[in-house]
Amino acid sequence: METLRDLYEHERFRVALFVFDIMTVAVFVVLTFVPASPWPVAVDAVIGTLMLIEFTVRTLIAHRRFAFLRRPSSLLDMIIIVSLLIPPLTGSFAFLRVLRALRLLRALRIIRDLKRRKRWVAERGELIGSATNLVVFVFITSALVYEVQAGRNP
């Protein structure tokens, strides 16, 4: 487990997770405007599988697994993963796309960790964190408006 923990907490892997979260939210934005077809569901399933693997690793390396699973961020991740993996069986949970943007909030934790290790990030950490908060706010607000108005307002 220590080897897995070391790999997960390695700086490059954390940066890769940050990039993955940004790309995931970008994909969710793009898929919002794509007409219903099988391939967006397949993309969601692939992303959901990758998130499930990452979540499983985080659970395995947690010192207190039950406490980890009860954390609000873990519960949110579970809801997001289910919303990505279940639609092929039950239909789309499009309204849950709003929650998917909250994955970017995890990026703030990654930035905080990197600020301790890298001078470049420490010097620009406040800017990066503020930009991340702004993107999350704009995306969530836009997604809420879109989901509420999608069928009513052309």
Side-chain angles (χ1 to χ4, degrees), residues 22-39:
I22 290 172
M23 289 175 54
T24 300
V25 171
V27 168
F28 294 152
V29 169
V30 170
L31 289 182
T32 301
F33 301 104
V34 172
S37 68
W39 74 266

Side-chain angles (χ1 to χ4, degrees), residues 30-72:
V30 170
L31 289 182
T32 301
F33 301 104
V34 172
S37 68
W39 74 266
V41 174
V43 170
D44 277 354
V46 168
I47 292 172
T49 302
L50 292 172
M51 288 176 155
L52 179 61
I53 292 167
E54 188 264 339
F55 183 77
T56 303
V57 169
R58 281 191 293 143
T59 304
L60 289 173
I61 66 173
H63 293 290
R64 294 176 26 219
R65 290 184 185 139
F66 188 68
F68 169 79
L69 291 172
R70 288 189 330 219
R71 288 185 359 205

